[in-house]
Amino acid sequence: MLGLNGTPFQPATLQLIGIPGMQIGHAWAALVFCILYLISIIGNLSILTLVVREPTLHQPMYYFLSMLSLNDLGVSFSTLPTVLATFCFNHRYVGFSACLVQMFFIHTFSFMESGILLAMSFDRFVAICDPLHYATVLTNGRILAMGLGILTKSFVTLFPFPFLVKRLPFCKGSILHHSYCLHPDLMKVACGDTHVNNIYGLFVVIFTYGVDSAFILLSYAWILRAVLAIASQEQRLKALNTCMSHICAVLAFYVPIIAVSMIHRFWKSAPPVVHVMMSNIYLFVPPMLNPIIYSVKTKEIRKAVLKILYKLQD
């Protein structure tokens, strides 16, 4: 389908539904999303502030936690403009180019989170399996290099996506079943040959989520082996307890991804609202849960919070 200038047809704007079949209850959805955003933004900003202000938190583990908090803020701010416009102001349209930009950043930050969780598993591996060399292995320079490597890998891997989408004609309508732009959603309304997009999308998923999750599992296999070699049960529990925050963060991130994949593969007849709600859980729950998990499960974070509260009271 060609436009007036002979180029493949691309709509000037795309329509965002929000949550299919729940248009009447959008006021409640707006309230829920606003609460999720507030918890996520305030929680992650608080983690960043604590790590910057408290010298006791100037350690590799908390530097990686800062990366995770920055990334979670990126996820939240990537979706925030269109989500608020859709649910709070009933503005359901987004420009085609703006949609591609949002798609790029949402997927980039999502893939970066997987890389950061892998780096955090390496941190736990070194801390438990080789504690005597922990400070010499995870120097500030190496931590910075790992962070830049994760950023570069995600950016370079996702960079072709907007151009691969832009080359396609859109002749199946302009309605997206989310309140933000995702690559799979755009593929549903695109026509023409989408094999390149689908194949490259599968490659990216395997290259990031697949490889990262495999190395996370491998690192915990070595961690469990080292922990079981410890004679004292008390020391074993103490060592495992230092990993609990990270394990919870990994589960909060990967379980929704697995659920989305399972539904997409084995329940293709599922109502659109099911796919949309799972995507919302995947994008909104981890940024909200991560600061809560680390605040509750990490003693040093709790101490830093109490220390600041005492100072405020004085």
Side-chain angles (χ1 to χ4, degrees), residues 239-255:
L240 286 175
N241 191 54
T242 64
C243 300
M244 288 308 300
S245 298
H246 179 255
I247 292 173
C248 291
V250 169
L251 291 175
F253 180 73
Y254 278 104
V255 168

Side-chain angles (χ1 to χ4, degrees), residues 119-312:
M120 295 176 83
S121 72
F122 178 70
D123 167 78
R124 292 299 83 203
F125 166 78
V126 177
I128 293 174
C129 298
D130 195 10
L132 296 178
H133 297 93
Y134 181 70
T136 56
V137 172
L138 289 171
T139 61
N140 291 344
R142 286 176 179 168
I143 293 170
L144 179 61
M146 291 170 71
L148 292 175
I150 294 167
L151 174 62
T152 303
K153 174 191 171 185
S154 301
F155 183 88
V156 172
T157 306
L158 273 297
F159 188 73
F161 265 121
F163 302 99
L164 290 174
V165 174
K166 197 173 180 63
R167 70 186 177 86
L168 295 172
F170 285 75
C171 56
K172 297 179 183 177
S174 59
I175 299 176
L176 305 181
H177 292 157
H178 291 83
S179 52
Y180 39 80
C181 298
L182 295 176
H183 182 260
D185 211 16
L186 286 166
M187 288 301 95
K188 291 178 182 178
V189 296
C191 52
D193 188 2
T194 60
H195 284 91
V196 174
N197 293 68
N198 293 329
I199 292 172
Y200 187 71
L202 179 62
F203 162 75
V204 170
V205 169
I206 295 173
F207 183 62
T208 52
Y209 294 151
V211 172
D212 292 348
S213 60
F215 277 108
I216 289 172
L217 288 173
L218 181 62
S219 68
Y220 272 102
W222 283 100
I223 287 171
L224 187 60
R225 179 182 176 184
V227 168
L228 292 176
I230 300 174
S232 170
Q233 182 177 358
E234 182 180 350
Q235 291 298 319
R236 287 201 297 267
L237 292 175
K238 185 177 179 181
L240 286 175
N241 191 54
T242 64
C243 300
M244 288 308 300
S245 298
H246 179 255
I247 292 173
C248 291
V250 169
L251 291 175
F253 180 73
Y254 278 104
V255 168
I257 292 175
I258 295 171
V260 168
S261 300
M262 296 293 286
I263 290 173
H264 180 73
R265 178 174 294 273
F266 298 109
W267 193 16
K268 294 183 179 180
S269 61
V273 67
V274 174
H275 294 278
V276 172
M277 293 306 295
M278 289 307 302
S279 296
N280 287 337
I281 291 172
Y282 155 61
L283 284 174
F284 291 98
V285 170
M288 177 200 67
L289 280 183
N290 287 336
I292 297 174
I293 290 169
Y294 276 91
S295 298
V296 172
K297 298 295 294 181
T298 308
K299 181 172 66 175
E300 288 76 8
I301 295 286
R302 294 199 303 271
K303 285 182 178 179
V305 171
L306 293 174
K307 183 179 178 181
I308 290 177
L309 289 177
Y310 288 141
K311 286 182 179 179
L312 292 175

